[in-house]
Amino acid sequence: MAISSLFIVTPEPLQVSSATAQLKPVVAVVMGSDSDLETLQPAIQVLERFEVAVEVRILSAHRTPIEMVAFAQQAKSKGLKVIIAGAGGAAHLPGMIASLTSLPVIGVPVQSKALSGVDSMHSIVQMPGGIPVATVAIDGGLNAGLLASQILALSNQNLEEQIMKFREAVHDEVTAKDAQLIELGPNDYLTQM
Ligand code: RP5
């Protein structure tokens, strides 16, 4: 087994069934720019892995505010349950969307060139009282997808079982690495990383 990290953990190959692709989306993954897509991709992939139907959009709080408002206002009536919103820099998108819907919004601060994403994180995490946004780590797309899944799993036992299976895979990956570290010792382990 190669030692390098398996994240995103894939004990089974990622397969999006055509049935999932046709389902009505319950999670939206929205981003301020296509340059954010790579950061959001782990969220999309883990949701698809759990067969959660996803809508993916580019909606900018600054560049396409009218489209962003329309999306947020219609989100609940369209059947969406959770919104993941990623943005970088002056990252107003998650907060603006949260102000226009009662759906839970998970913000993903995208690493910016100038300030390494600290600007994005502060913009997203420092919401004023009254309009919450749940904020994951800078570039924390995977955790955003997992958190959205956990929210949906409150009323979906099958999904909860899949999340627990995923956690088992995460656990097994670490214990396998631990065993290999014990066997090889740190110097040889490092050369194989
Ligand atoms: C934000 O500005 C986007 O979320 C993106 O992270 C950042 C830079 O956008 P581009 O200049 O790459 O389009 O609105």
Side-chain angles (χ1 to χ4, degrees):
M1 180 194 110
I3 292 174
S4 58
S5 176
L6 295 177
F7 269 96
I8 196 170
V9 183
T10 52
E12 293 149 19
L14 178 67
Q15 280 173 346
V16 183
S17 68
S18 53
T20 309
Q22 284 163 19
L23 290 175
K24 219 163 92 172
V26 287
V27 176
V29 176
V30 303
M31 63 208 83
S33 167
D34 62 352
S35 63
D36 301 326
L37 182 55
E38 209 179 319
T39 298
L40 276 306
Q41 186 71 344
I44 299 163
Q45 285 180 329
V46 83
L47 288 160
E48 288 179 339
R49 177 201 183 89
F50 293 154
E51 304 204 316
V52 172
V54 187
E55 175 181 357
V56 184
R57 301 283 304 275
I58 300 167
L59 295 164
S60 168
H62 309 282
R63 294 164 174 162
T64 61
I66 309 287
E67 289 82 353
M68 179 212 62
V69 169
F71 164 82
Q73 287 177 331
Q74 292 158 17
K76 194 166 180 205
S77 59
K78 277 199 309 192
L80 290 167
K81 305 277 184 222
V82 185
I83 298 172
I84 294 171
H92 297 144
L93 181 67
M96 286 299 298
I97 289 180
S99 75
L100 293 159
T101 179
S102 61
L103 295 176
V105 176
I106 302 169
V108 183
V110 174
Q111 187 162 13
S112 56
K113 284 200 191 101
L115 296 172
S116 305
V118 174
D119 45 353
S120 326
M121 181 186 67
H122 286 168
S123 300
I124 296 174
V125 80
Q126 287 295 88
M127 285 296 290
I131 309 292
V133 169
T135 310
V136 295
I138 295 170
D139 282 353
L142 174 63
N143 273 0
L146 289 169
L147 184 55
S149 303
Q150 288 177 230
I151 293 169
L152 296 174
L154 288 170
S155 56
N156 184 333
Q157 201 185 335
N158 178 272
L159 184 52
E160 188 187 348
E161 282 161 16
Q162 290 191 70
I163 293 166
M164 295 321 287
K165 261 177 67 182
F166 182 90
R167 287 195 176 196
E168 266 174 51
V170 172
H171 167 273
D172 292 350
E173 179 181 312
V174 175
T175 54
K177 286 180 176 178
D178 180 46
Q180 206 159 8
L181 176 61
I182 291 166
E183 189 189 321
L184 297 176
N187 291 335
D188 284 353
Y189 187 97
L190 265 179
T191 59
Q192 290 193 34
M193 275 184 88

